Amino acid sequence: LWLRKPLTRSREFTMGTVIREVCPRCKSATYKKNGHIHNGKQNHQCKDCGRQFVDCFEQYLVSDETRDLIERLLLERISLRGICRAVQVNLKCLLGFIVTCFEALPDHLNVQPISCDNDVMIQRLEVEADEMASFVQNKANKQWIWLAMNTQTRQIIAFHVGDRSRKSARKLWAKIPVAYRQQATFYTDQYVVYEGVIPAAQHRAINKKARKTNHIEHFNNTLRQRVSRLVRSALSFSKKLDNHIGAIQYFICHYNLTRAKV
């Protein structure tokens, strides 16, 4: 009998009505009718910028408790539609909330600043760098995730999403904090593109038996298991590159916070 009980959203949502008298993009008051949308409401098109919109629509406002729950679920291996079913939100509302979360992420990735009083401590800095495969939209569109990790703190100090060329390696190198680029020793696999990007005096290209990249490889596995977009042979792949990058950065920022407490 409990299965027949209708689901209620009164505890999760409040409804708000938005009335538009101007174009939401350019604020122009000159627009024309342009057919109807999927639910039968009158559609309009701005004569100045071409933006299409409806003049009156109902907007769901998600409660703070639901927002906190969604933020936690985004860190687990759950698809977006799975989150919609779990918290009873529609996909459009969820996508809008996710974009807002991604835009608020810090560029410094919540990396713990280096605390040292002399150059001797800086000389001991060690960084592991590696890359892992992913794709956007289809498997032919390969997007490689380049990562650099502080071996001591286990924090990800920089990442880049791109192809597997030396150009992407240079972009990763440019995102690494200056203190690491000047003083740290970098351990990578024997992939040739790292040569010429990392200074030879700081670069150590080793094989897996040396176990100098085991921490970053372990994080690769963690990232693939926790971010549903990166799970192999799954339907939760990214359709847009910006959302793909945002989801990875979202997890890294949270991961770095947890490592800072260790």
Side-chain angles (χ1 to χ4, degrees), residues 124-149:
R124 298 177 184 175
L125 288 178
E126 293 184 349
V127 175
E128 299 177 16
D130 197 15
E131 67 285 341
M132 62 179 291
S134 66
F135 69 91
V136 174
Q137 192 63 47
N138 57 72
K139 292 185 177 181
N141 185 17
K142 287 283 188 180
Q143 297 294 332
W144 290 83
I145 305 170
W146 298 73
L147 300 163
M149 170 186 282

Side-chain angles (χ1 to χ4, degrees), residues 69-81:
L69 178 58
I70 292 175
E71 289 176 354
R72 294 195 300 270
L73 292 177
L74 289 174
L75 297 169
E76 303 300 332
R77 186 172 139 176
I78 304 176
S79 66
L80 297 185
R81 294 190 182 275

Side-chain angles (χ1 to χ4, degrees), residues 77 132-134 145 219-232 251:
R77 186 172 139 176
M132 62 179 291
S134 66
I145 305 170
F219 177 79
N220 288 346
N221 181 61
T222 301
L223 187 63
R224 196 177 292 280
Q225 294 299 318
R226 293 284 298 277
V227 181
S228 60
R229 300 167 185 265
L230 305 178
V231 177
R232 298 183 186 274
F251 181 81

Side-chain angles (χ1 to χ4, degrees), residues 25-92:
R25 176 185 292 171
C26 66
K27 309 304 179 182
S28 173
T30 58
Y31 54 87
K32 63 181 180 179
K33 293 183 178 179
N34 188 35
H36 297 80
I37 61 176
H38 65 283
N39 58 6
K41 289 187 176 182
Q42 180 65 57
N43 191 36
H44 297 83
Q45 184 176 27
C46 177
K47 293 183 178 181
D48 293 336
C49 68
R51 167 70 184 271
Q52 298 186 41
F53 61 94
V54 293
D55 55 2
C56 180
F57 68 96
E58 294 177 341
Q59 183 180 34
Y60 286 110
L61 302 178
V62 184
S63 66
D64 292 338
E65 293 79 7
T66 303
R67 290 172 181 268
D68 293 339
L69 178 58
I70 292 175
E71 289 176 354
R72 294 195 300 270
L73 292 177
L74 289 174
L75 297 169
E76 303 300 332
R77 186 172 139 176
I78 304 176
S79 66
L80 297 185
R81 294 190 182 275
I83 295 177
C84 290
R85 292 189 295 269
V87 301
Q88 300 178 28
V89 301
N90 59 63
L91 184 60
K92 184 177 180 180

